[in-house]
Amino acid sequence: MSDELVEKVRAGNDHAFRILIETYKQTIFRTVYSVLRNQKDAEDVTQEVFIKIYTSLPQYNNQGFKTWITRIAVNHAIDLKRKRERQKEESHEEYSSDPQLGLSDDVEALFFQNERRRHVLRKLNELPEGYRDVVYDYYIKEKTFKQIAEEQQIQVKSVEVKLYRARNWMRKHWKEEDFS
């Protein structure tokens, strides 16, 4: 049924897209809500996801519509969550480095935070070369699998495999005390 509706939407039938929205809006909302844990944000992101689905329909290859749209929803929600966390970090750094806000007493904590960051970057250099770039891009630069794959000109699945193997390598060779 979904694939037939998709074909109608591709042919320009807006009513078919409304039917897709009605059919899957609860699924998308629940998926997004499970990541964001905020009803208002989940409602907004659900609308954004349907726009993204509509614009991405030309790339859909009849590989399971519900799975495909759920993956779009999860990725979009995770991207938004990461973006918000980065914004919180950046605003915290602004406050902690602004002496007029009376938070400059926290210089020692800022020093240790920067020292820890340098330590993590040194540890990353211990990783085997094939894993280092993927780990750095994913965890430090917070890039998506797709972005990493495009930059390294490899398949998304290869990025996933490299990260999986890198995590196993880190578990085997590093101790938690190294980071505390």
Side-chain angles (χ1 to χ4, degrees):
M1 176 185 128
S2 298
D3 289 340
E4 293 169 13
L5 286 172
V6 168
E7 290 308 316
K8 288 180 181 178
V9 173
R10 285 179 175 166
N13 185 334
D14 290 336
H15 181 69
F17 190 67
R18 282 192 212 102
I19 294 171
L20 281 176
I21 290 173
E22 287 303 314
T23 304
Y24 292 104
K25 71 180 179 185
Q26 288 302 320
T27 301
I28 298 298
F29 176 81
R30 282 192 303 270
T31 302
V32 169
Y33 183 83
S34 72
V35 174
L36 299 175
R37 297 287 180 205
N38 178 300
Q39 183 170 348
K40 178 74 174 112
D41 289 345
E43 290 168 357
D44 292 344
V45 170
T46 298
Q47 291 177 0
E48 293 170 12
V49 166
F50 276 109
I51 292 169
K52 198 165 195 164
I53 289 168
Y54 186 79
T55 59
S56 300
L57 276 177
Q59 288 84 38
Y60 173 67
N61 295 323
N62 300 341
Q63 69 263 33
F65 188 73
K66 187 174 180 181
T67 303
W68 184 72
I69 64 173
T70 301
R71 190 174 15 207
I72 290 173
V74 168
N75 289 340
H76 193 71
I78 289 171
D79 287 347
L80 178 72
K81 190 173 184 174
R82 282 184 182 157
K83 181 179 175 184
R84 290 207 173 140
E85 287 170 2
R86 267 195 308 270
Q87 287 172 341
K88 282 181 191 173
E89 269 184 27
E90 288 170 3
S91 67
H92 175 71
E93 287 174 10
E94 286 174 23
Y95 289 127
S96 64
S97 63
D98 188 345
Q100 295 180 351
L101 295 173
L103 298 174
S104 60
D105 298 335
D106 212 13
V107 171
E108 185 178 353
L110 190 59
F111 170 79
F112 285 114
Q113 179 182 358
N114 287 335
E115 189 61 33
R116 180 179 166 94
R117 184 174 289 141
R118 281 191 290 275
H119 178 70
V120 168
L121 290 173
R122 277 194 304 272
K123 292 295 280 182
L124 280 178
N125 286 329
E126 295 176 9
L127 275 169
E129 197 171 318
Y131 305 146
R132 193 177 309 137
D133 292 341
V134 174
V135 169
Y136 184 79
D137 285 347
Y138 186 74
Y139 289 107
I140 306 298
K141 291 188 172 181
E142 297 182 342
K143 294 181 180 177
T144 64
F145 288 168
K146 184 178 179 189
Q147 289 171 319
I148 296 168
E150 288 172 358
E151 288 175 6
Q152 294 189 10
Q153 297 179 342
I154 58 177
Q155 297 294 318
V156 172
K157 190 69 179 168
S158 298
V159 173
E160 293 172 6
V161 168
K162 283 184 175 187
L163 271 175
Y164 174 78
R165 290 178 179 166
R167 286 185 199 115
N168 285 338
W169 188 94
M170 289 185 277
R171 277 189 211 102
K172 185 177 177 183
H173 292 90
W174 292 347
K175 299 178 191 86
E176 193 172 327
E177 303 86 61
D178 291 342
F179 296 95
S180 50

